[in-house]
Amino acid sequence: MREKLEQLKCCAMAAIAAASSVDALQDIRISLLGRKGELTSLMKGLGSLDPAERPVVGQLVNSVRDEIEAALGSALESAQNNFIATRIQAERIDTSLPGRRAQKGTKHPVSLVIEEICSIFAGLGFAVAEGPEIEHDWYNFEALNFPPEHPARDMQDTFFVENNLLLRTHTSPVQIRTMLKQKPPVRIIAPGTVYRCDSDATHSPMFHQIEGLMVDSRVTFGDLKGVLTVFTNQLFGQKTGVRLRPSYFPFTEPSAEVDIACVICGSKGCRICKNSGWLEILGAGMVDPEVYRHVQYDAENISGFAFGMGIERIAMLKYGISDMRLLFENDVRFLRQF
Amino acid sequence: MIVTYNWLKEFVDFDANPDELAALLTMLGLEVESMVKLGDGLDDVVVALVEEKRQHPNADKLSLCRVNNGKEVFDVVCGAQNFQQGDTVVMAQIGATLPGDLKIKRSKIRGEESCGMLCSEKELGLAEESAGIMVLSPGIAPLGTPVFTALGLKDTIFEIGLTPNRSDCLSLIGIARDIAAKLDLKIRYPHATLVEGTENTDSIIGVTIKDPELCPRYAARHISGCNIAPSPEWLVKRLAAIGIRSINNVVDVTNLVMMELGQPLHAFDCERLSGNRIVVRAAADGETFITLDNQARILTASDLVICDADRPVALAGVMGGLNSEIENSTTSILLESAFFKPAAIRKTAKRLSLHTESSHRFERGIDINGVVRALDRAASLIVVLAGGVLAKGAIDQYPGRCERTPIVFRPEKANELIGINLERDVILDILTRLECQVSHHDDGTTGVLPPSYRIDIEREIDLIEEIARLNGYDKIPATMPVARVASDRPTRHQEIEKQVRNLLVNCGLTEIINFSFTSPGAAGKLLLNEDDPRRSAIKLANPLVDEQSVMKTTLLPGLLETMARNINFRSLDLKLFEIRRVYLPVKGDDMPREPLCIVGAVTGSRDGDVWNRHNEPVDFFDVKGIVESVLDFLDIGGISWATDSADSYYHPGKSCRILAGLDCIGSLGELHPTVQKNFEIEKSVFCFELDFEKLVKLSRTKKAIVAPSRFPDSSRDIAILIPEELAALKIIDCIKGVKSKEVEQVQIFDVYRGKGVPDGFKSIAVRVRYRSIERTLTEEEIVSLHKEIIANLVDKLRVTLR
């Protein structure tokens, strides 16, 4: 019995040492320690031994089993580690290969700028208003104090449609439509498409503007300056310098052109700002009393300001686009960059 | 308006240097658009003397000179032949940079040292061409003086972008007045010393104004025995500086005075006027007249003409006539200075497309009180330059005299509107500096009478603007308005537009923006029926080009053109969309409708040709998936897909209309092969169109949310054979039609044609997932439910189970 045990142990140890896979080790375990395993059958044979010998042999069997199990355990662990290591080695990938992306499209830069500007003004309590693009002369010109035959109409080359209709030359008619619909306080922003009969590298026959209008009691020119300063700082950066200088629009008085410190050269002077250090980005002013007369507001007791800006111009400055035509060529190689 | 620094200084004595002046003008609303400093950076180009000139030892055509700049003598190699030893010349010294970025450096030319360059007029930017170096008159200036200073050419030219209201600044004096007002300086008017003869002007010629409405004032003077000749150099140079070509001494004077004072003048050859008379009248309809550019003009009754006894001799305020212009032989001149009604001049100039310096000023409005001053200034200059005798007295017909009334002005209103706090005296002082007359009335009000040249100042608000402008916009504190709170959410329409744009971008589509106008042929390319309403587009009366002459009734052609253009640039996999308005005429209404539309199109490969995806082409179900996403997002129910009669531009077998109930809200499908060819696109295109307005109307804002079941599910598959023409969706509808609470999901997971499936049939595999919200379903319950569903399918749709 003793010899048998010793021999079994020897064989088992050799087999465990020789086995390289988890499966082989599991087979060894079954062949030795399973229900019909060699060691198990030996243990079953203990009963036929002399009772005096039993405890000694029993102890020996137990110690052999313990040794085999320990050897199996550690061999199994190392085989498992080996197995994982091999798997890891085999499964290596080239992580530099491109990932499987969810495809994402892009918004047109004009839409992006409109959304950004509207959200800045939404924060200041301005609602979005809209109006028709095919417009009556009255809303586009007359009510905005452009009398017929007035030279200021030359500032806006107009596309005409029959029935005294035209393609609006600016978003300003939305001011009139809004004021005719509601009484002060008015606080609106009106993005939209506008048209001028002009086409070259810096002019497009169709482009976009955003109009702003605020009318309330006691709104001042200083307030216009404050609101536009907040706006330009949010759009172009906190420290962007803003300059208002006198100008003329028939529907505002006093009127101003609003310049920002050149964002391209940092006001040092460059080709874009024509060496002036300033970039003109919008026109503004206090709403002219003539306009109030057309919408039956009492100019004596209310005041307000209006402003308007070209979206394409702002998009070009914001994204450093040099040719306006790029915005309407819809080349996806351009659009996908936004 | 072009002005020069030196010229302005003759009218007002300011200290500002050119840069400061530019900033000052811009902040006064007279925007300096460009500024050219003549001779700037050319201080190293100086007057010098050629002390010695000898032949270059190694080059026949070059000479070696010793040139003195007053301090030092330099060796200079020169290639010009037109000068001699002892001549005063122009030397660019080492370190100078000539126009065209030519830097002067010490150099060796054919072995000889050259320490400078002798310059030609061309090299200094003073002439287009020159035949050698510039030789100056001896002693013109001390040696070493910068040449632009020596020649009196050092000046700065400003180009000012004038706003249409500032007609008073279409002259040097006007701009000088604003400078004077801002800096509180005195203005100097150009002088006119009149030496008159004995004969009275009105005994030589008579003036009759027949239309005082259009010509409220007409003044004239007569000069006899003058001599038409080229203008002196100072006059030629002065006009050249602001871009006016010299003609002769008389015409140049009229131009000079127009630039000085803003009053257009006209000089007639008096001997060519018949009957010693000037008649100002409206033209007869159809009357023809040859203007001095030798163009025959057909006039209308709204034009104003200046006539002699027989015929028109000038188109008033616009252009003179060929029949009476000043010629070299002219000896007797009638000089006209008048005021014409702005609207009339504008109308004539516009109709004839004849825009002149004169019409530009008249149509914006000139100073009616300055008519005689300009006339006298020009007459005195002509006598000085062309000689002759000035007849005594000016003719001044002024039937349209009207007095302006003072404007009631409240200084506190100015403070209130601008948001400043100036003393009353300061405010009134600004107005006084602007040559306004301020009067204080007994009732405590203040009246302000603006000067006659400021025709733009008519109301209190105009005066308030002047206060803001002169005091300086930069001095107005920036404040935030005090406002009443309002609830201003974006409208549903705006919100949904933004959401749909976001959704489409997240579906992988790129947004495009095309012009709103298109070519009249666009509808034809889509094979639209002759009576399709989209063929009746709104036409522009004055399009720039035919391709942009009608307003779009559909966005599809533009989208397809964009697609074709991108494909030409080898961007082959495209997913594009546009959300824009279309313009639809409305019967019985002037104003068209401008509904917002959504179009999208995809072509090429679905995921692109990348290493870890199959390079599969897009198909119908890609666009359908996009549309389903949109409809699902907006929670629009009751959708069905009608395969009959989708639009003509779709592939009839691969397209459908989208119905919400009975309402068609859009369409989608593959582009018809012919249309695809019309737009020159090679690969299949799948597109969709959605009526945005209907989407907004149908979208549901309140979603019914159901808590998920906590019990296990069980799925059963059904494989059935159905005829090709039976829509697969019917099967789903039929299963859902059983209306069991326990049917959680029904999904088609395979569609198969081929081996084992007879021709004209397709095999559909459907998975039904059962689950109860209340408890775990038993096997028996599921089996029984599944049997019921299958029985219903067989019964209702007559399908065959596989």
Side-chain angles (χ1 to χ4, degrees), chain B residues 93-162:
Chain B
Q93 305 185 123
I94 287 163
T97 304
L98 298 184
D101 219 20
L102 176 64
K103 288 195 172 61
I104 306 301
K105 287 181 249 173
R106 187 183 301 270
S107 62
K108 272 208 165 153
I109 301 171
R110 296 273 184 118
E112 293 293 329
E113 179 118 318
S114 185
C115 303
M117 180 177 132
L118 305 187
C119 305
S120 67
E121 281 164 305
K122 184 184 173 187
E123 281 154 348
L124 295 178
L126 291 172
E128 293 285 309
E129 279 307 320
S130 40
I133 62 161
M134 206 172 170
V135 178
L136 303 171
S137 45
I140 180 172
L143 298 183
T145 309
V147 67
F148 276 82
T149 311
L151 292 169
L153 289 174
K154 188 117 180 152
D155 201 351
T156 301
I157 296 171
F158 301 99
E159 190 172 351
I160 297 178
L162 283 184

Side-chain angles (χ1 to χ4, degrees), chain A residues 55-113:
Chain A
V56 185
V57 178
Q59 223 168 14
L60 189 64
V61 170
N62 277 341
S63 94
V64 167
R65 195 185 61 191
D66 287 350
E67 276 176 70
I68 290 174
E69 278 197 337
L72 260 177
S74 79
L76 207 57
E77 191 182 332
S78 92
Q80 256 159 357
N81 287 343
N82 265 337
F83 176 75
I84 289 172
T86 314
R87 182 178 146 195
I88 285 171
Q89 189 57 40
E91 289 179 354
R92 272 182 186 282
I93 56 164
D94 178 356
T95 54
S96 74
L97 282 168
R100 202 174 286 120
R101 298 186 192 195
Q103 279 197 10
K104 199 180 167 300
T106 48
K107 285 184 202 176
H108 194 281
V110 165
S111 294
L112 288 172
V113 172

Side-chain angles (χ1 to χ4, degrees), chain A residues 184-224:
Chain A
V186 173
R187 215 148 62 229
I188 56 145
I189 191 104
T193 312
V194 300
Y195 305 87
R196 306 236 176 127
C197 223
D198 206 349
S199 184
D200 59 41
T202 52
H203 296 92
S204 168
M206 181 189 103
F207 57 102
H208 299 81
Q209 282 188 339
I210 285 194
E211 190 81 7
L213 175 71
M214 170 166 187
V215 182
D216 206 335
S217 48
R218 309 187 75 89
V219 176
T220 70
F221 195 78
D223 292 341
L224 168 64

Side-chain angles (χ1 to χ4, degrees), chain A residues 104-108 335-338, chain B residues 505 508-511 577:
Chain A
K104 199 180 167 300
T106 48
K107 285 184 202 176
H108 194 281
L335 295 176
R336 281 176 186 158
Q337 296 175 48
F338 289 92
Chain B
V505 164
L509 277 70
T510 292
E511 186 187 19
F577 78 101

Side-chain angles (χ1 to χ4, degrees), chain B residues 161 177 480 534 567 574 662 688 732:
Chain B
R177 276 185 196 123
M480 283 308 273
R534 284 168 290 185
I567 290 169
L574 297 166
L662 294 174
F688 65 89
I732 307 236

Side-chain angles (χ1 to χ4, degrees), chain A residues 101 103 105-108 111 128 131 133-134 149 158 160 195 216 221 223 225 253 255 288 330 332, chain B residues 346 417 459 462 473 476 479 484 494 502 505 511 513 516 541-542 566 573 575 581 583 594 613:
Chain A
R101 298 186 192 195
Q103 279 197 10
T106 48
K107 285 184 202 176
H108 194 281
S111 294
V128 175
E133 291 168 23
I134 299 181
E149 302 300 323
T158 314
F160 293 98
Y195 305 87
D216 206 335
F221 195 78
D223 292 341
K225 208 170 164 179
E253 183 145 4
S255 300
D288 193 288
N330 294 311
V332 294
Chain B
R346 178 177 162 78
L417 191 79
R459 304 167 298 166
D462 302 326
Y473 280 16
I476 301 167
T479 51
R484 284 172 267 181
Q494 291 159 358
N502 284 339
V505 164
E511 186 187 19
I513 293 183
S516 307
N542 56 334
N566 274 291
D573 305 328
K575 296 189 170 80
R581 297 184 190 188
Y583 310 85
E594 298 180 14
R613 303 239 200 199

Side-chain angles (χ1 to χ4, degrees), chain B residues 212 215-217 368-369 372 396-404:
Chain B
C215 176
R217 189 172 192 179
I368 200 162
N369 287 353
V372 172
D396 184 11
Q397 298 276 348
Y398 196 174
R401 192 186 295 271
C402 69
E403 294 302 327
R404 294 172 79 180

